[in-house]
Amino acid sequence: MDLASKLGGNIDKQQVLSAVQQYEKYHVCYGGEEEERKANYTDMVNKYYDLATSFYEFGWGESFHFAPRWKGEELRESIKRHEHFLALQLGVKPGHKVLDVGCGIGGPLREISRFSSSSITGLNNNEYQITRGKQLNRITGVDKTCNFVKADFMKMPFPDNSFDAVYAIEATCHAPDAYGCYKEIYRVLKPGQCFAAYEWCMTDSFDPSNQEHQKIKAEIEIGDGLPDIRLTTKCLEALKQAGFEVIWEKDLAVDSPLPWYLPLDTSHFSLSSFRLTAVGRFFTKNMVKALEYVGLAPKGSLRVQDFLEKAAEGLVEGGKKEIFTPMYFFLARKPEA
């Protein structure tokens, strides 16, 4: 019932189906074009997160991202470790002023703040996620040290040289232009300090002339609100073009003892992450169908579940074929002035 009450985010419940239809039209599966998605990325991404956030929180918890995983390690443990790794790479210390670019409802923000005793600002352009994030900050007691700012990460409302560290976890993939996004991050980061990120990327194994590869890419784009999915090499080029010195970079999926896509794989079953399994997703789909039928969930909710299921299929296939990664990591430094 909690899921039903949150479906649609800040969209009027009577307008959810219309919002779904508008969102779908941006994508290849429905005749949409990449340039249109890039030109209207704010509307597309906002609609996506209004529609999908409640499903994410229901399935993933507060941190909406993948992680490399050790054998015997629970999914939630791996997610926290992935966040701690980022904080350690950045050298985040007590008293540091940190920016989380594209912070979702703030799961990583709260974890990293408590881990490092730092103050973190979450930047997000979705009002529903910010409202939810503030509620969770109050519940966990970090509302005095962590805050949210509603803004576009292509046009940040911060002065130059504001932050001691900046990170992004599977978020700047929503940017229509990697260079423009990284340049803004460069501007607000203090000289001599670092930016680290986990990026969603197509790998060098992706073949743009392969129709199956293109189908997988399109499924991930519609299911995850992406205007495009860049190659890892393009992210690296954009970082350097923005002025960063790249300290190191690597696709962390390559050495993960367990496949990063395992929670979504239909062959996998886990009680601890049951809602993400094929059985759990089947249960959720039928629950949403029933809730929509009796009027407790807005019309269009099942359509959202459908494109999220399509994303899960694309992510698993992209992972198995090694043409996609959600954890291309880089640590980059802004040179001293």
Side-chain angles (χ1 to χ4, degrees):
M1 295 303 292
D2 192 41
L3 172 64
S5 67
K6 295 175 183 175
L7 288 171
N10 274 7
I11 299 171
D12 183 280
K13 303 307 179 189
Q14 302 302 315
Q15 299 300 315
V16 168
L17 179 58
S18 173
V20 172
Q21 292 168 337
Q22 291 170 40
Y23 171 77
E24 288 173 338
K25 286 178 182 176
Y26 281 122
H27 291 277
V28 173
C29 313
Y30 293 85
E33 300 286 342
E34 179 185 323
E35 290 310 310
E36 186 183 4
R37 291 195 297 279
K38 287 182 175 179
N40 297 283
Y41 73 95
T42 301
D43 179 65
M44 182 190 71
V45 176
N46 256 307
K47 278 189 171 65
Y48 175 76
Y49 279 114
D50 270 330
L51 295 168
T53 295
S54 56
F55 285 99
Y56 271 123
E57 192 174 352
F58 183 73
W60 286 96
E62 296 175 23
S63 294
F64 309 156
H65 63 82
F66 293 98
R69 194 167 160 196
W70 292 97
K71 292 177 181 178
E73 185 178 39
E74 298 289 352
L75 177 62
R76 297 290 166 85
E77 289 178 324
S78 70
I79 284 173
K80 285 187 177 184
R81 181 173 51 76
H82 204 42
E83 293 163 359
H84 295 173
F85 176 83
L86 196 71
L88 289 168
Q89 289 297 311
L90 283 168
V92 178
K93 296 179 176 60
H96 271 184
K97 187 179 176 185
V98 182
L99 179 65
D100 180 334
V101 178
C103 61
I105 61 172
L109 173 155
R110 286 181 288 277
E111 184 63 35
I112 292 173
S113 174
R114 289 177 294 193
F115 177 71
S116 63
S117 298
S118 59
S119 299
I120 305 182
T121 296
L123 184 72
N124 192 326
N125 210 18
N126 183 269
E127 190 65 54
Y128 173 73
Q129 288 197 333
I130 287 178
T131 301
R132 181 65 181 140
K134 287 179 177 177
Q135 290 172 346
L136 293 168
N137 275 11
R138 286 192 293 271
I139 291 168
T140 53
V142 300
D143 51 312
K144 299 294 191 292
T145 54
C146 297
N147 68 308
F148 294 91
V149 172
K150 185 182 185 303
D152 183 346
F153 52 40
M154 302 296 288
K155 302 183 285 283
M156 297 188 199
F158 306 119
D160 295 358
N161 311 321
S162 293
F163 296 97
D164 298 297
V166 180
Y167 67 84
I169 299 178
E170 300 183 20
T172 45
C173 50
H174 293 293
D177 167 33
Y179 165 73
C181 181
Y182 295 163
K183 192 67 179 175
E184 267 296 88
I185 290 169
Y186 183 93
R187 180 183 67 78
V188 303
L189 182 63
K190 292 178 182 178
Q193 302 306 309
C194 291
F195 165 45
Y198 298 127
E199 281 282 9
W200 280 34
C201 292
M202 305 312 292
T203 70
D204 290 339
S205 297
F206 173 72
D207 178 3
S209 66
N210 183 311
Q211 289 303 304
E212 186 180 10
H213 287 194
Q214 287 288 3
K215 177 178 177 289
I216 289 168
K217 180 174 180 282
E219 287 175 343
I220 297 171
E221 286 168 350
I222 188 172
D224 294 283
L226 305 178
D228 185 26
I229 309 176
R230 291 175 279 275
L231 289 167
T232 54
T233 51
K234 294 297 181 184
C235 287
L236 197 58
E237 286 173 14
L239 274 173
K240 293 175 180 177
Q241 188 183 1
F244 283 105
E245 298 171 349
V246 179
I247 298 171
W248 74 283
E249 47 82 29
K250 184 179 181 179
D251 178 4
L252 300 184
V254 173
D255 295 328
S256 179
L258 292 176
W260 60 265
Y261 54 82
L262 189 65
L264 300 176
D265 194 339
T266 54
S267 65
H268 173 71
F269 182 80
S270 168
L271 285 174
S272 63
S273 54
F274 173 75
R275 291 175 178 177
L276 295 175
T277 64
V279 177
R281 299 201 306 269
F282 177 78
F283 171 79
T284 302
K285 180 174 183 175
N286 282 282
M287 179 179 67
V288 171
K289 185 177 182 179
L291 290 169
E292 187 173 322
Y293 180 77
V294 299
L296 292 175
K299 291 187 182 305
S301 298
L302 190 60
R303 290 267 285 270
V304 178
Q305 171 71 17
D306 286 342
F307 68 63
L308 291 175
E309 183 63 30
K310 187 174 290 187
E313 293 168 4
L315 288 165
V316 170
E317 285 304 304
K320 286 182 175 179
K321 294 183 183 301
E322 299 181 349
I323 63 170
F324 170 81
T325 178
M327 53 189 74
Y328 174 60
F329 172 81
F330 56 74
L331 179 66
R333 180 176 175 271
K334 179 177 179 177
E336 293 281 3

